[in-house]
Amino acid sequence: MKILKTIDLSKTYGKGESKVKALKNINIEIEKGKFTSIIGPSGSGKSTLLHCMAGLDDITSGKVLLDDKDISTLSEEKLSQLRRRKFGFIFQSFNLIPVVDVYENITLPVSLDSKNVDKNYVYEIIEILGLKDKIKKFPNELSGGQQQRVAIARALVNKPDIIFADEPTGNLDSKTTQEVINLLKLCVEKFGQTLIMITHNNEIAKMADVCIKVQDGKVLEQ
Ligand code: ADP
Ligand code: ADP
């Protein structure tokens, strides 16, 4: 089953002389419950593609279908709600809140959405990610790999259908990178979530079920 599709998706930044065609008629299909990696040279359009699929960026033309419904025409308010309820995001920068502990960093998105935290689920994630003895720590007491594991837990806390990850291990050494990606894979497999990840790292790209190659704003192969 396909959870997400793009139909002739194009994205142009700027106007006139400074116009940049970042995406040119992209048609891709993302399989539900699978790990899809997106690779390609710097400036090829990977981040733009991820942002358009995730409703973080408005598109210039085409469609983005989530469960066969076009999300590209939704209002900013509806999109924001969709992102909070259905999507999880992991970026290169961990963006943890320095003044609250690990547990609160993880559960804040749910509390802010005025929903009840499913403690059993949260502890399950914490367990899988090996953060059990860290929940009372503050971000500055953690290594980079530990901080990214907290960011992963935070991305999973709303039980998202799709996790969008943009170079999540770009700031980590290769051993830590492998550990973090393995743990992330364990989580998404356990909960049947769909993972879409941009990476420069061929080893990580190979761990994916599907690899999408982007070049010059086009998809070379899927
Ligand atoms: P990648 O993630 O593969 O490095 P990007 O999606 O970031 O590629 O960028 C694709 C193209 O769009 C590049 O030419 C980049 O300079 C341009 N671009 C990205 N973001 C913006 C922006 N906010 N304004 C103008 N041009 C942008
Ligand atoms: P970089 O690759 O420069 O370290 P990141 O990977 O942190 O940057 O972020 C990539 C893109 O995602 C940037 O355009 C940034 O503005 C955006 N971004 C980062 N964090 C968030 C967030 N929490 N919500 C929405 N967009 C974000």
Side-chain angles (χ1 to χ4, degrees):
M1 212 187 102
K2 313 293 180 194
I3 189 166
L4 194 69
K5 290 182 208 166
T6 69
I7 297 175
D8 290 331
L9 167 63
S10 295
K11 168 77 181 178
T12 304
Y13 289 108
K15 287 198 175 86
E17 288 290 290
S18 59
K19 209 148 99 173
V20 178
K21 281 191 173 179
L23 299 177
K24 304 164 187 165
N25 291 77
I26 302 269
N27 289 286
I28 54 172
E29 300 188 333
I30 305 290
E31 189 79 31
K32 189 178 165 74
K34 294 274 169 71
F35 171 11
T36 299
S37 63
I38 301 176
I39 60 165
S42 191
S44 58
K46 302 182 297 296
S47 288
T48 303
L49 176 58
L50 191 95
H51 285 199
C52 288
M53 289 195 292
L56 286 170
D57 240 351
D58 53 343
I59 70 175
T60 307
S61 62
K63 285 179 182 167
V64 177
L65 305 181
L66 175 70
D67 292 322
D68 290 321
K69 284 189 285 283
D70 191 2
I71 62 167
S72 59
T73 53
L74 293 179
S75 65
E76 187 44 53
E77 193 191 334
K78 283 263 183 277
L79 265 182
S80 157
Q81 188 180 4
L82 181 77
R83 288 195 300 263
R84 286 199 311 271
R85 302 271 156 91
K86 299 223 167 173
F87 297 162
F89 293 95
I90 308 167
F91 294 98
Q92 187 167 350
S93 49
F94 316 127
N95 302 316
L96 300 180
I97 300 166
V99 294
V100 304
D101 68 17
V102 163
Y103 186 81
E104 285 187 71
N105 262 286
I106 293 171
T107 52
L108 211 61
V110 174
S111 330
L112 287 178
D113 211 12
S114 35
K115 289 197 293 187
N116 291 325
V117 175
D118 177 348
K119 283 196 177 154
N120 287 332
Y121 173 74
V122 172
Y123 277 105
E124 213 172 342
I125 302 170
I126 286 171
E127 178 91 48
I128 297 172
L129 291 169
L131 291 168
K132 230 167 116 186
D133 57 343
K134 300 283 184 274
I135 55 173
K136 294 270 176 239
K137 301 260 188 216
F138 287 82
N140 68 358
E141 299 175 279
L142 304 179
S143 70
Q146 289 163 348
Q147 289 186 50
Q148 190 57 309
R149 282 188 269 142
V150 175
I152 289 171
R154 179 188 54 194
L156 295 174
V157 77
N158 61 344
K159 303 183 179 172
D161 295 333
I162 308 181
I163 294 137
F164 294 95
D166 191 348
E167 291 278 355
T169 53
N171 287 326
L172 305 176
D173 62 55
S174 58
K175 185 168 162 278
T176 312
T177 291
Q178 279 294 335
E179 277 168 15
V180 167
I181 301 297
N182 280 325
L183 291 172
L184 175 56
K185 268 193 80 173
L186 270 181
C187 286
V188 298
E189 279 162 17
K190 164 123 192 156
F191 302 113
Q193 292 151 336
T194 305
L195 174 62
I196 306 175
M197 185 190 297
I198 295 177
T199 180
H200 268 113
N201 184 324
N202 278 326
E203 296 305 311
I204 295 176
K206 278 187 211 151
M207 292 165 73
D209 302 304
V210 180
C211 181
I212 293 175
K213 240 183 221 174
V214 179
Q215 195 175 313
D216 192 25
K218 293 185 210 135
V219 169
L220 280 192
E221 46 184 288
Q222 173 163 8

